[in-house]
Amino acid sequence: MENKKELRGWLDAMELAHPLVIAGPCSAETEEQVLTIAHQLKDTDATVLRAGIWKPRTRPGNFEGVGALGLKWLQKAKQETGMMITTEVANAHHVDLALKHDVDILWIGARTTVSPFIVQEIADALQGTDKTVLVKNPVNPDLALWLGAVERFHSADVKNLGVIHRGFSTYEKTRYRNNPEWQIPIDLQNRFPDLPLILDPSHIAGRRDIIFDLCQTALDLNYDGLMVETHHDPDNAWSDAKQQIKPKTLDQMTVDLRIRKEEGDAIEFQNKLATARTKIDVVDHQLIEMLGKRMRISDEIGALKKKNNVAILQTKRWNEILGKMILQGEEQNLSEEFILKVFKAIHQESINHQKKVISE
Ligand code: PEP
Ligand code: MN
């Protein structure tokens, strides 16, 4: 991974738009569907058409893709519209078929990235290719595993490499289908600033209404591209219906998104400042979520205390918490004074919550 400039180079060498916009259906369903969507996308900012042919589904019984047949439809869409085409490959056989059908970009799905044996098999099948390979993050929030997959392709002499951030599984239900955990791609970007980073807002969101905001955050963080699931009739899509948007909506979205260009000292300063502020916003959002979570646990304790007729304030426990937090704060370069202020406020809010529960 040392030759970082080279990794980014393919984006410029292919004269691809910045940011790169990849769009198309979650799955190829019929020839007519693929061609309809491709023609509707042709005059938008999207330069690459996506469609899943082999669909990894969490549970059996759902639509698992049309298989190799769909590659012919993608190839036809490429001939008719001039768009580049991309699909997911999950084993060496898929790679073979995709290469035979002139697929320009191959992506590695989140469920594949978790498996070093499969990733190695795919990397071996792609040894020395001049095709572009985009590696989605693994389903679990593990940066090392994500980078490990990228490294396998790099070692197989795949020069046109990039990564796709599609969010991470969580057991707890949140507003996202897959939690963005922005700090992970931010870390990756800090370590490999020249590895193109693309956002897949569709699988993070799982719904249409927050796709725009996710894309804007990504652009504010200097992502290099977007991969958005797009369908001419989203509600009737055979997979991921809730998160797909119409080509027309995508077109409007790319008009409305703020895109920063890095040129000139003053502008560069503004860009850097804005990026840092977006990072702060991400962390602030996490702080609020964690505080909310803490108070909900506090409510549970309140209910327990009520049932067992125990007093709210437990001084011994409180002093233990403070002592531990002061020590942990030191590790993070946070002063004792600050930790005391923050935890007194948290404790007070906690007491208020429990009082409310007990008086109910
Ligand atoms: C997809 O892009 O349709 C897909 C299956 O994505 P992921 O691997 O991110 O779940
Ligand atoms: Mn999908």
Side-chain angles (χ1 to χ4, degrees):
M1 304 276 289
E2 44 307 322
N3 207 347
K4 291 188 231 152
K5 276 280 171 240
E6 203 177 288
L7 291 174
R8 179 101 171 219
W10 62 268
L11 262 180
D12 301 330
M14 288 161 95
E15 289 179 7
L16 291 174
H18 196 274
L20 175 68
V21 180
I22 304 172
C26 175
S27 307
E29 298 164 5
T30 64
E31 176 171 339
E32 198 196 349
Q33 173 245 15
V34 171
L35 293 175
T36 303
I37 296 168
H39 280 279
Q40 289 184 6
L41 285 170
K42 188 176 60 156
D43 298 319
T44 68
D45 280 358
T47 48
V48 184
L49 176 70
R50 67 149 279 160
I53 304 291
W54 300 283
K55 301 300 299 176
R57 309 313 296 177
T58 302
R59 296 185 54 217
N62 294 312
F63 175 59
E64 292 189 323
V66 292
L69 177 65
L71 291 169
K72 295 215 173 7
W73 309 337
L74 274 175
Q75 216 175 1
K76 195 162 177 195
K78 176 174 170 167
Q79 281 155 7
E80 289 187 12
T81 64
M83 293 178 83
M84 291 197 292
I85 52 175
T86 180
T87 198
E88 172 175 348
V89 289
N91 60 40
H93 180 57
H94 294 166
V95 169
D96 188 41
L97 287 166
L99 295 181
K100 282 197 178 109
H101 288 82
D102 218 11
V103 170
D104 303 283
I105 300 178
L106 298 92
W107 90 74
I108 310 302
R111 292 163 195 76
T112 302
T113 307
V114 288
S115 170
F117 285 139
I118 289 285
V119 171
Q120 191 58 53
E121 173 189 318
I122 298 172
D124 291 342
L126 281 165
Q127 177 75 39
T129 188
D130 54 5
K131 300 284 182 186
T132 296
V133 176
L134 301 176
V135 183
K136 284 203 174 193
N137 67 253
V139 283
N140 52 324
D142 186 338
L143 178 56
L145 192 58
W146 194 3
L147 287 173
V150 175
E151 206 178 329
R152 286 177 197 275
F153 288 102
H154 189 67
S155 304
D157 205 22
V158 177
K159 291 184 190 68
N160 303 346
L161 266 177
V163 289
I164 302 176
H165 169 215
R166 55 77 80 193
F168 303 87
S169 288
T170 49
Y171 182 59
E172 278 173 87
K173 281 273 150 277
T174 69
R175 69 194 294 252
Y176 303 104
R177 175 176 171 194
N178 289 294
N179 217 4
E181 311 266 17
W182 292 102
Q183 70 282 8
I184 295 178
I186 288 170
D187 265 4
L188 181 143
Q189 204 180 33
N190 285 339
R191 287 168 61 183
F192 301 99
D194 295 310
L195 185 63
L197 172 60
I198 292 167
L199 179 79
D200 168 351
S202 309
H203 292 90
I204 292 179
R207 50 194 248 205
R208 283 171 210 138
D209 60 329
I210 55 176
I211 289 190
F212 179 88
D213 285 348
L214 288 165
C215 291
Q216 188 59 65
T217 300
L219 295 182
D220 291 343
L221 291 168
N222 290 323
Y223 277 46
D224 302 283
L226 306 167
M227 171 150 111
V228 186
E229 284 191 342
T230 318
H231 196 289
H232 67 296
D233 182 10
D235 285 334
N236 291 305
W238 295 5
S239 59
D240 290 352
K242 286 202 189 103
Q243 69 198 33
Q244 304 208 52
I245 59 171
K246 290 188 175 171
K248 204 167 50 145
T249 313
L250 175 78
D251 200 27
Q252 185 59 46
M253 216 175 79
T254 54
V255 172
D256 295 342
L257 284 168
R258 268 180 291 115
I259 297 170
R260 290 198 222 97
K261 299 211 170 26
E262 285 183 58
E263 275 167 50
D265 286 352
I267 295 172
E268 192 172 331
F269 162 73
Q270 290 299 337
N271 285 348
K272 285 199 171 135
L273 189 65
T275 303
R277 285 182 171 156
T278 305
K279 289 182 193 171
I280 293 257
D281 290 348
V282 168
V283 176
D284 283 348
H285 174 83
Q286 287 170 332
L287 278 175
I288 295 290
E289 289 214 326
M290 292 313 280
L291 286 172
K293 192 168 168 182
R294 191 189 194 283
M295 292 310 152
R296 284 190 291 281
I297 300 175
S298 196
D299 290 343
E300 271 174 39
I301 296 181
L304 274 175
K305 285 180 180 166
K306 181 180 181 177
K307 207 165 154 204
N308 293 281
N309 217 7
V310 175
I312 291 182
L313 189 62
Q314 308 265 306
T315 316
K316 185 165 164 275
R317 161 86 180 139
W318 170 234
N319 285 332
E320 275 169 16
I321 293 182
L322 268 189
K324 269 197 283 192
M325 291 304 106
I326 288 168
L327 283 179
Q328 227 186 302
E330 259 172 38
E331 287 171 19
Q332 297 289 333
N333 221 354
L334 303 169
S335 70
E336 180 172 336
E337 186 197 356
F338 173 70
I339 295 286
L340 283 174
K341 267 192 207 149
V342 170
F343 272 85
K344 273 184 187 155
I346 291 176
H347 189 231
Q348 189 55 55
E349 181 71 7
S350 212
I351 289 176
N352 296 348
H353 267 249
Q354 294 193 4
K355 268 194 194 148
K356 200 161 153 241
V357 171
I358 287 178
S359 67
E360 262 163 15

